[in-house]
């Protein structure tokens, strides 16, 4: 009997491709890759996704009435993956418009049945300020995943409980002599990088239990 090939999909809601949020997603995916998981990162900035029209057809039928090939491509990957990671920078203590539009367009995958139920999920976020709304942004994405029926994990490590803060980072590096110091990027935020690694490890641990 062959090994089960597991797939993980990461979706970046940032308008800035390949920047801080993408860095955190890649770090998380790298932990899964180490264990042979097939991974893919989608940049929503590469896609034109029409907004939900609130036609309510999906209240009765498990399909979306909006015909746009680009969202259909993402949905195909959503259905195929075993794990889903969402990443968004903080916009007004919320996800970006790109991420929210994507979330809205998945409504039909939930209303008549939870088509994504049983998969493993996680979320991460990044902001400029230390108290920039990360907690609420993270909660919004995690609630979205739970509503779709995913098993949501975070960065908790029983051996190092004080490190756990949720996978959320900041450019804020300190304050000295009346001046704020900033990190140049997520690569300099060692705490959130380790948080993402632990999230990746936790995801793989649960994937093994559920799918092996």
């Amino acid at each position: 009997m062959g090994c089960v090939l597991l797939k993980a999909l990461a979706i970046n809601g940032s308008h800035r491709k390949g920047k801080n949020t993408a860095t955190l997603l890649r770090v998380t995916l790298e932990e899964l890759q180490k264990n042979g998981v097939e991974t893919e990162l989608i940049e929503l900035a590469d896609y034109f996704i029409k907004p939900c029209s609130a036609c309510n057809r999906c209240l009765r039928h498990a399909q979306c009435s909006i015909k746009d090939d680009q969202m259909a491509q993402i949905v195909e990957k959503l259905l195929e993956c075993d794990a889903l990671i969402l990443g968004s920078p903080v916009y007004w203590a919320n996800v970006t418009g790109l991420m929210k539009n994507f979330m809205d367009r998945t409504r039909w995958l939930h209303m008549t049945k939870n088509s994504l139920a049983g998969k493993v999920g996680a979320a991460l976020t990044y902001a400029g300020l230390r108290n920039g709304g990360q907690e609420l942004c993270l909660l919004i994405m995690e609630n979205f995943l739970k509503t779709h029926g995913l098993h949501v994990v975070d960065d908790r490590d029983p051996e190092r409980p004080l490190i756990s803060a949720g996978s959320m980072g900041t450019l804020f590096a300190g304050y000295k002599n009346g001046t704020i110091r900033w990190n140049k990027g997520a690569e300099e935020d060692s705490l959130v990088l380790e948080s993402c690694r632990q999230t990746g490890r936790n995801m793989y641990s649960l994937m093994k239990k559920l799918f092996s």
Side-chain angles (χ1 to χ4, degrees):
M1 182 176 179
C3 295
V4 177
L5 178 61
L6 300 174
K7 297 181 179 180
L9 178 67
I11 296 183
N12 183 13
S14 176
H15 295 263
R16 302 169 68 236
K17 293 168 51 179
K19 299 298 184 178
N20 294 318
T21 307
T23 295
L24 302 187
L25 288 168
R26 289 195 186 99
V27 168
T28 308
L29 291 176
E30 285 170 2
E31 289 300 316
L32 296 171
Q33 291 168 358
K34 290 177 183 178
N35 291 286
V37 177
E38 179 181 313
T39 66
E40 182 177 359
L41 171 62
I42 286 180
E43 300 269 9
L44 289 181
D46 286 332
Y47 292 77
F48 176 74
I49 300 173
K50 296 177 183 178
C52 174
S53 62
C55 70
N56 287 332
R57 179 181 176 83
C58 62
L59 298 182
R60 300 178 299 276
H61 307 283
Q63 63 185 83
C64 182
S65 64
I66 299 174
K67 305 302 180 184
D68 53 352
D69 293 340
Q70 295 199 341
M71 185 61 191
Q73 293 170 17
I74 296 178
V75 168
E76 184 177 351
K77 296 178 185 295
L78 289 173
L79 294 172
E80 289 178 350
C81 74
D82 302 294
L84 175 62
I85 313 168
L86 300 183
S88 175
V90 178
Y91 279 29
W92 293 98
N94 206 324
V95 297
T96 64
L98 284 176
M99 179 59 76
K100 183 59 168 62
N101 191 40
F102 158 77
M103 293 164 72
D104 289 346
R105 284 294 307 281
T106 67
R107 185 186 186 211
W108 71 272
L109 294 169
H110 163 70
M111 295 309 297
T112 59
K113 68 174 182 177
N114 262 347
S115 300
L116 305 180
K119 301 177 187 291
V120 175
L124 54 87
T125 186
Y126 204 80
L129 299 174
R130 184 175 65 179
N131 302 306
Q134 290 95 322
E135 291 88 350
L136 183 54
C137 184
L138 196 67
L139 183 63
I140 288 167
M141 288 185 285
E142 290 180 343
N143 184 67
F144 167 82
L145 294 169
K146 290 176 182 177
T147 301
H148 271 291
L150 278 76
H151 303 282
V152 178
V153 304
D154 55 25
D155 67 337
R156 276 177 279 194
D157 182 350
E159 296 182 1
R160 296 178 294 174
L162 295 180
I163 290 181
S164 176
S167 293
M168 46 192 176
T170 174
L171 287 172
F172 181 85
Y175 181 81
K176 187 175 183 180
N177 298 327
T179 302
I180 294 178
R181 293 184 294 108
W182 304 97
N183 291 321
K184 294 180 180 179
E187 296 87 350
E188 296 184 1
D189 187 344
S190 57
L191 179 59
V192 74
L193 294 179
E194 180 54 31
S195 169
C196 290
R197 294 186 189 102
Q198 185 60 47
T199 295
R201 291 190 287 266
N202 290 347
M203 292 187 78
Y204 180 68
S205 177
L206 183 54
M207 290 168 74
K208 280 198 306 180
K209 294 178 181 178
L210 294 175
F211 308 129
S212 62

